[in-house]
C-alpha cells in the first residue's frame, strides 16, 4: 500500500514537471558529496577519533531511517532519503582513516576487494533472505527494523569503546 502510494506520488510529481531527470540524478549526488564535506567541516571544529566518528554515524543513521520510514509525503520522503544519504556518505572519511591506520599498505587493496565483495554479497543476501519480511511489515516497517539494528549496533560499539578506554586507563596506572 505505502509503496504504491509513494510510487503514485512520485509519478505525479514527474508528470507535473516538479522533478526533472537532471535533478533526480544531481540531488542525490550532491547529498552524497555533502556528507564528507560536512564531516570535514565538523572535524575542523571538534577533534574526534575515526572509531568514534563511525559510532556517531551509526547513531545518526538510525533515527534518520526511522524518520524516513514514517514519511507519507513525497517531499518528506525525498528530504529523509537525502538526509540518510548525507549521513551514510560521512562513513567514507573515518573508514578510510581507520583502514590507513590499521592495515599495512600491501594488504590494503586486498581488503578493499574483500569489502566490495562482502558489500555486494550482503546486499544480495539481504534482498533474498529478507524479501519475505517486506509483505509482512512493509518497506517502512523494514526500515524501522533496520533503524533498530543500527541503533543497537551503535550503542554496543559505544559501550565497547568506553570499556576499551577504561581498560587502557587502568593498564596505564602504576
Amino acid at each position: 500500500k505505502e509503496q504504491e502510494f509513494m510510487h503514485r506520488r512520485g509519478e505525479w510529481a514527474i508528470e507535473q514537471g516538479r522533478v526533472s531527470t537532471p535533478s533526480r540524478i544531481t540531488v542525490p549526488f550532491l547529498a552524497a558529496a555533502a556528507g564528507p564535506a560536512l564531516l570535514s567541516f565538523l572535524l575542523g571544529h571538534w577533534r574526534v577519533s575515526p572509531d568514534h566518528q563511525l559510532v556517531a554515524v551509526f547513531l545518526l543513521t538510525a533515527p534518520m531511517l526511522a524518520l524516513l520510514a514514517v514519511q507519507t509525503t513525497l517531499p518528506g520522503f525525498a528530504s529523509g532519503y537525502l538526509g540518510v544519504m548525507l549521513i551514510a556518505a560521512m562513513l567514507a572519511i573515518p573508514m578510510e582513516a581507520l583502514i590507513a591506520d590499521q592495515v599495512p599498505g600491501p594488504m590494503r587493496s586486498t581488503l578493499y576487494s574483500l569489502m566490495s565483495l562482502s558489500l555486494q554479497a550482503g546486499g544480495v543476501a539481504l534482498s533474498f533472505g529478507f524479501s519475505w519480511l517486506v509483505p509482512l511489515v512493509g518497506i517502512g516497517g523494514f526500515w524501522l527494523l533496520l533503524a533498530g539494528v543500527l541503533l543497537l549496533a551503535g550503542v554496543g560499539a559505544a559501550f565497547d569503546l568506553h570499556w576499551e578506554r577504561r581498560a587502557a586507563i587502568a593498564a596505564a596506572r602504576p
Side-chain angles (χ1 to χ4, degrees):
K1 250 182 180 177
E2 65 191 68
Q3 190 175 12
E4 288 177 30
F5 170 76
M6 295 306 291
H7 184 71
R8 283 195 314 268
R9 295 281 291 190
E11 284 180 350
W12 176 84
I14 292 168
E15 288 171 6
Q16 299 298 316
R18 295 186 183 208
V19 181
S20 66
T21 300
S23 68
R24 282 183 280 168
I25 296 167
T26 306
V27 173
F29 172 77
L30 291 176
L38 177 62
L39 185 61
S40 292
F41 173 77
L42 293 174
L43 291 176
H45 296 293
W46 294 289
R47 191 159 172 83
V48 181
S49 66
D51 48 355
H52 284 89
Q53 292 170 35
L54 287 172
V55 169
V57 169
F58 278 152
L59 293 174
L60 287 172
T61 304
M64 283 301 296
L65 277 175
L67 283 173
L68 183 62
V70 298
Q71 294 304 312
T72 58
T73 65
L74 183 62
F77 177 81
S79 59
Y81 181 75
L82 293 175
V84 168
M85 286 189 64
L86 179 107
I87 293 170
M90 288 182 182
L91 283 171
I93 293 174
M95 202 164 77
E96 291 292 329
L98 284 173
I99 289 172
D101 186 45
Q102 301 292 325
V103 179
M107 294 179 60
R108 243 178 251 143
S109 61
T110 304
L111 177 67
Y112 284 126
S113 295
L114 286 173
M115 283 174 40
S116 176
L117 178 65
S118 65
L119 185 63
Q120 297 300 321
V124 169
L126 282 173
S127 295
F128 289 113
F130 290 108
S131 60
W132 60 271
L133 192 59
V134 173
L136 297 174
V137 298
I139 301 272
F142 193 75
W143 282 343
L144 285 173
L145 187 66
L146 179 59
V149 168
L150 284 175
L151 183 64
L152 287 175
V155 169
F159 276 119
D160 184 50
L161 289 174
H162 173 74
W163 290 112
E164 184 179 297
R165 181 176 173 171
R166 284 183 62 127
I169 290 171
R173 290 189 185 141

